[in-house]
Amino acid sequence: QQQVKQSPQSLIVQKGGISIINCAYENTAFDYFPWYQQFPGKGPALLIAIRPDVSEKKEGRFTISFNKSAKQFSLHIMDSQPGDSATYFCAASRGSTLGRLYFGRGTQLTVWP
Amino acid sequence: GAGVSQTPSNKVTEKGKYVELRCDPISGHTALYWYRQSLGQGPEFLIYFQGTGAADDSGLPNDRFFAVRPEGSVSTLKIQRTERGDSAVYLCASSLIGSSYNEQFFGPGTRLTVL
C-alpha cells in the first residue's frame, strides 16, 4: 500500500511557468516531508523539506505548501526553467530527525524552452 | 567534502549468483540507509543502520537479502541466489544523527541487472 500518493505522474510546463506537484498521506504520525529531485542516472537530491508545524516554506523558486488537516502537501516551482526538467519525489517519515522515508511514485517534469 | 559513494556503478550477474554492493557514506554520518528503486518508481526502503546495528530491517524483501556495517562506516548489501526480479537501482543514503532534520543524502546508486 502506497503510504504517500503523488500526482501528476508527468507534467509539461513552459519556461517561466509555475509547476505544481501534489502529494497526500494518511499516516498522521508522519512529521517530516521532504522533496527530492532526481536526474537520469543520478541519485535523488534533497530539494526542500518541511515539518507540519508550518504551513509554507520557501527557498528560492521552490515552495512547499502544507495542509495538515487535509493531509496534503505540494511543491511549487516558480519561473520554471529547462534545467528543472527532472523527476520529483515527495516523501514522508515518522521521525523528523531519523528513520525510513516513504516515497511517492514520482512526477516527471519537462520544462519547454 | 565527498558525498556518498557506491560501487560498482553497474553490476550484471546471472540468475542464481551472489552479489555484493558497497556503500561509503559521508564521513561522520552515523545513519546509513539502503533503498531499492525500480524503473519509474520511487525509492523503496530496505534497511537502515545506526552505527553498526540495523535499526530497522523491515524493508528487506526476503532472507536472500542481508546487509552489514561492521565498523559503523562502510556498508555492504548482499544478495544471495539472485532472481530477475532483483534487477533495480540500489541506492544508499546517509544522514547525521542529531541534526534537526531527517536529511538523507543519496549516492548515485548501483544498477543491478540479473540475466
Side-chain angles (χ1 to χ4, degrees), chain B residues 38-68:
Chain B
S38 300
L39 193 63
Q41 302 294 319
E44 180 186 19
F45 171 79
L46 295 175
I47 184 172
Y48 97 87
F49 292 86
Q50 287 187 44
T52 60
D56 181 356
D57 65 357
S58 61
L60 295 177
N62 51 59
D63 61 6
R64 295 186 298 105
F65 289 75
F66 189 71
V68 295

Side-chain angles (χ1 to χ4, degrees), chain A residues 32 36 38 41-44 46 49-51 57 89 93 95-101 103-105, chain B residues 31 33 35 37 40-43 45 48 50 56 58 91 97 99-104 106-108:
Chain A
Y32 173 73
Y36 280 82
Q38 186 175 32
K42 305 292 185 183
L46 180 64
I50 198 168
R51 280 176 164 163
K57 183 173 182 180
F89 294 96
S93 72
S96 62
T97 60
L98 194 65
R100 65 184 290 181
L101 291 171
F103 282 86
R105 291 185 188 273
Chain B
Y33 301 80
Y35 293 84
Q37 186 174 25
Q41 302 294 319
F45 171 79
Y48 97 87
Q50 287 187 44
D56 181 356
S58 61
L91 295 165
I97 295 177
S99 66
S100 56
Y101 276 85
N102 186 7
E103 295 185 60
Q104 297 183 23
F106 282 81

Side-chain angles (χ1 to χ4, degrees), chain A residues 55-84:
Chain A
S55 60
E56 186 175 280
K57 183 173 182 180
K58 183 175 181 179
E59 290 183 0
R61 296 185 295 110
F62 301 92
T63 300
I64 299 178
S65 296
F66 187 84
N67 186 329
K68 188 174 181 178
S69 60
K71 291 183 284 187
Q72 295 175 348
F73 59 111
S74 60
L75 176 69
H76 296 234
I77 306 174
M78 311 300 287
D79 186 27
S80 299
Q81 299 297 311
D84 297 331

Side-chain angles (χ1 to χ4, degrees), chain B residues 20-101:
Chain B
E20 289 189 352
L21 312 178
R22 177 188 167 108
C23 172
D24 269 281
I26 293 172
S27 178
H29 279 194
T30 45
L32 184 147
Y33 301 80
W34 284 99
Y35 293 84
R36 176 169 69 175
Q37 186 174 25
S38 300
L39 193 63
Q41 302 294 319
E44 180 186 19
F45 171 79
L46 295 175
I47 184 172
Y48 97 87
F49 292 86
Q50 287 187 44
T52 60
D56 181 356
D57 65 357
S58 61
L60 295 177
N62 51 59
D63 61 6
R64 295 186 298 105
F65 289 75
F66 189 71
V68 295
R69 195 185 184 201
E71 297 177 357
S73 179
V74 170
S75 177
T76 304
L77 179 66
K78 307 180 181 193
I79 310 175
Q80 298 178 320
R81 304 183 304 279
T82 51
E83 299 178 357
R84 293 194 181 88
D86 299 335
S87 296
V89 175
Y90 288 80
L91 295 165
C92 177
S94 69
S95 71
L96 185 62
I97 295 177
S99 66
S100 56
Y101 276 85

